[in-house]
């Protein structure tokens, strides 16, 4: 298989560099059309292998038979050899010569992520998938995996062994490691998907074209990084509960793989925290989802910002009250209130900057904090005035009464704080409307 034969990949679809600002609208892939007539498959299933001379042939024969009998679209199976040193290349070449729709690609470097990146980047199929050579996942889940991508409903799809209706047979050690790893992803990277490591995934080619250059890992962490970036960019990930039986002869080195995965979690988390990833390149056009379409009289993004502001506000209030109670042990109410407000205001501005108003990176961070301190001063005036009024009215109020007054004063300042943050600190940036190309004037011969 030559490199030139793989050039008609996702990049060769007629899009120009000016179109790279956003992904196209998802569309249902036609069962019949020019691509099908020219022999281009709808689905390209990659099977990455390394020294799998024993299992490769039965795996490909079983997969090819299943797709031939059950898959209603044209398909291709690509065996991606990760620099095998046994007879795997000969087995793969024989399968490619024997079976229609099977091809063999040789890579001179190891790494499952490297194999997937290479084949997916050069494939001409609109839906790209992969599965492990041991076929631990029941193949009946393959069509449900790729159907949402074919229909245009989703951007990526993954098999999940941790979904409630999944049926899994494996040892307690691997079960514990899998669940612990996904718990780490949820707690550190706020991952919403349930199973990052299942070797059964698919992606639409236009998504892969934008997403793959952002993924740095070339090994086992490749899957996780791909999913985290896609989810953070707002792409839709479909999950399929699978039936899965552990392969007792798996050659995966658990300790080394776990170490590399944890390094990857740290690297991706750090990049996301500083806004170093251009996730806006993965944005779908507005209106791709019917729920995104604007309602008359409702400003776009307001509802999401209100929810984010409320969540941050509740957490900031709890943080503030805890600090006030702590400071109150050593100083008077005014100093305790001022110190608690100052510390919580800095945290509140940083949280609202990223979570509520979606501002990432370090640009303008100092200015935003300075403006946030002005908003803090307004809150300080309201709460300090309330405490002063309480002291003048009662003389020596109880701690619970002080907290009640402070809560009321903070609630009164919340609306003003949101309006100031939205209109002054983090004003919405105007999004220029896309320029529409003028329609060509019809030739005189075409006018009837």
């Amino acid at each position: 298989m030559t490199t030139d034969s793989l050039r008609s990949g996702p990049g060769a679809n007629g899009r120009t560099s000016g179109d790279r600002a956003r992904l196209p609208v998802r569309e249902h892939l036609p069962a019949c059309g020019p691509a099908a007539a020219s022999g281009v498959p709808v689905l390209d299933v990659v099977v990455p292998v390394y020294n799998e001379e024993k299992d490769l042939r039965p795996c490909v024969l079983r997969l090819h038979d299943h797709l031939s009998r059950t898959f209603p679209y044209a398909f291709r199976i690509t065996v991606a050899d990760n620099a095998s040193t046994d007879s795997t290349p000969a087995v793969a070449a024989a399968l490619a010569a024997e079976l229609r729709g099977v091809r063999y690609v040789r890579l001179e470097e190891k790494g499952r992520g490297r194999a997937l990146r290479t084949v997916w980047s050069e494939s001409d199929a609109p839906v790209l998938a992969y599965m492990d050579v041991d076929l631990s996942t029941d193949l009946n889940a393959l069509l449900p995996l790729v159907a949402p991508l074919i229909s245009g409903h989703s951007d990526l799809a993954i098999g999940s062994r941790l979904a409630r209706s999944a049926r899994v047979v494996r040892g307690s050690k691997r079960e514990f490691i899998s669940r612990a790893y996904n718990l780490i992803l949820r707690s550190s990277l706020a991952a919403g998907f349930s199973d990052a490591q299942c070797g059964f995934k698919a992606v639409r080619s236009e998504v892969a074209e934008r997403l793959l250059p952002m993924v740095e890992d070339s090994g086992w962490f490749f899957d996780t990084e791909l999913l985290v970036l896609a989810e953070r960019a707002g792409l839709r990930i479909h999950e399929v509960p699978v039936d899965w039986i552990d392969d007792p002869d798996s050659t995966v080195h658990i300790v080394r793989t776990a170490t590399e995965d944890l390094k990857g979690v740290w690297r991706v988390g750090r990049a996301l925290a500083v806004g170093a990833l251009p996730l806006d390149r993965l944005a779908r056009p507005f209106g791709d989802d019917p729920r995104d379409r604007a309602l008359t009289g409702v400003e776009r993004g307001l509802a999401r910002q209100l929810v984010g502001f409320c969540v941050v506000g509740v957490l900031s209030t709890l943080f503030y009250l805890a600090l006030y109670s702590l400071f109150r042990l050593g100083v008077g109410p005014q100093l305790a209130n001022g110190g608690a407000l100052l510390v919580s205001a800095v945290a509140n501005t940083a949280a609202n900057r990223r979570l509520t108003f979606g501002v990432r990176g370090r640009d303008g961070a100092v200015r935003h904090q300075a403006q946030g301190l002005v908003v803090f001063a307004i809150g300080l005036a309201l709460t300090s005035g309330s405490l002063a009024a309480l002291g003048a009215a009662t003389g020596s109020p109880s701690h619970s009464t002080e907290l009640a007054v402070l809560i009321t004063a903070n609630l009164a300042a919340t609306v003003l704080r949101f309006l100031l943050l939205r209109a002054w600190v983090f004003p919405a940036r105007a999004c220029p409307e896309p320029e529409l190309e003028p329609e060509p004037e019809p030739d005189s011969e075409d006018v009837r």
Side-chain angles (χ1 to χ4, degrees):
M1 193 73 183
T2 63
T3 304
D4 292 338
S5 65
L6 299 176
R7 292 300 184 194
S8 57
N13 51 16
R15 287 198 292 273
T16 63
S17 59
D19 298 320
R20 301 183 72 86
R22 58 176 56 182
L23 285 166
V25 175
R26 290 188 297 260
E27 295 180 350
H28 196 301
L29 300 175
C32 299
S38 64
V40 177
V42 170
L43 173 66
D44 193 349
V45 183
V46 182
V47 182
V49 293
Y50 173 73
N51 288 349
E52 296 287 355
E53 59 183 2
K54 176 182 176 182
D55 295 333
L56 179 57
R57 181 174 180 82
C59 160
V60 173
L61 290 175
R62 180 181 163 198
L63 176 58
H64 188 273
D65 175 69
H66 178 84
L67 288 171
S68 300
R69 289 185 297 102
T70 66
F71 195 67
Y73 292 82
F75 67 87
R76 177 195 296 141
I77 300 172
T78 300
V79 179
D81 176 20
N82 287 306
S84 294
T85 57
D86 61 0
S87 62
T88 295
V91 176
L95 287 167
E98 176 185 345
L99 299 175
R100 181 179 180 182
V102 175
R103 69 171 178 171
Y104 164 57
V105 176
R106 167 77 176 184
L107 289 87
E108 298 303 329
E109 294 181 83
K110 292 176 62 177
R112 182 179 69 172
R114 179 177 289 106
L116 294 177
R117 185 199 313 277
T118 301
V119 178
W120 281 358
S121 297
E122 298 169 338
S123 178
D124 53 359
V127 176
L128 311 167
Y130 96 89
M131 60 180 60
D132 292 334
V133 69
D134 55 20
L135 295 186
S136 295
T137 304
D138 183 7
L139 291 179
N140 288 325
L142 182 56
L143 183 55
L145 180 80
V146 301
L149 308 186
I150 293 174
S151 70
H153 174 271
S154 300
D155 298 294
L156 299 93
I158 65 174
S160 175
R161 300 162 297 182
L162 302 180
R164 181 165 298 180
S165 56
R167 295 187 296 177
V168 177
V169 177
R170 61 176 167 180
S172 57
K173 180 180 179 180
R174 285 183 176 270
E175 178 77 10
F176 173 78
I177 293 174
S178 180
R179 291 189 178 275
Y181 178 65
N182 283 280
L183 180 61
I184 291 173
L185 293 181
R186 288 177 177 270
S187 59
S188 61
L189 298 180
F193 46 87
S194 64
D195 191 352
Q197 295 174 310
C198 183
F200 196 68
K201 296 182 176 69
V203 59
R204 286 178 67 102
S205 63
E206 71 270 17
V207 175
E209 180 186 7
R210 307 285 183 86
L211 192 53
L212 291 178
M214 301 183 195
V215 179
E216 295 185 18
D217 192 80
S218 296
W220 292 96
F221 187 69
F222 174 89
D223 303 48
T224 301
E225 188 170 357
L226 188 83
L227 291 173
V228 169
L229 299 186
E231 186 176 58
R232 286 300 185 95
L235 299 182
R236 181 177 292 157
I237 301 175
H238 177 73
E239 294 199 19
V240 179
V242 297
D243 298 341
W244 193 85
I245 300 177
D246 188 17
D247 178 14
D249 299 324
S250 174
T251 58
V252 178
H253 193 288
I254 295 178
V255 176
R256 182 170 63 245
T257 301
T259 302
E260 294 301 318
D261 285 347
L262 292 177
K263 290 180 180 178
V265 169
W266 169 257
R267 174 176 54 79
V268 172
R270 186 171 180 270
L272 291 171
V274 301
L277 297 169
L279 298 180
D280 56 318
R281 295 180 188 173
L282 300 173
R284 286 287 184 187
F286 182 72
D288 180 45
D289 188 326
R291 294 172 298 179
D292 291 339
R293 293 170 188 155
L295 300 176
T296 302
V298 178
E299 187 174 353
R300 186 185 306 174
L302 177 60
R304 184 192 62 79
Q305 290 180 352
L306 282 172
V307 172
F309 180 78
C310 289
V311 172
V312 172
V314 169
L315 295 177
S316 297
T317 300
L318 294 176
F319 182 50
Y320 159 75
L321 293 174
L323 287 176
Y324 176 82
S325 299
L326 178 64
F327 294 163
R328 191 66 177 85
L329 297 176
V331 298
Q334 293 291 359
L335 285 178
N337 176 60
L341 266 179
L342 179 60
V343 176
S344 61
V346 173
N348 181 276
T349 300
N352 275 312
R353 182 177 189 269
R354 178 174 178 80
L355 301 178
T356 303
F357 299 99
V359 179
R360 292 178 171 81
R362 299 178 181 178
D363 292 344
V366 175
R367 175 173 56 83
H368 292 154
Q369 282 292 350
Q371 292 172 311
L373 289 178
V374 174
V375 178
F376 149 77
I378 296 174
L380 178 62
L382 288 173
T383 53
S384 297
S386 300
L387 281 176
L390 176 64
T394 61
S396 181
S398 65
H399 181 64
S400 59
T401 303
E402 287 181 354
L403 289 180
V405 170
L406 288 174
I407 291 172
T408 304
N410 271 285
L411 290 176
T414 296
V415 175
L416 181 59
R417 185 183 303 122
F418 177 75
L419 294 175
L420 287 173
L421 288 176
R422 181 176 171 83
W424 180 49
V425 183
F426 307 110
R429 291 169 292 182
C431 298
E433 294 294 328
E435 296 182 1
L436 299 178
E437 297 182 1
E439 296 184 1
E441 296 182 1
D443 297 333
S444 57
E445 297 180 358
D446 294 334
V447 180
R448 296 287 184 258

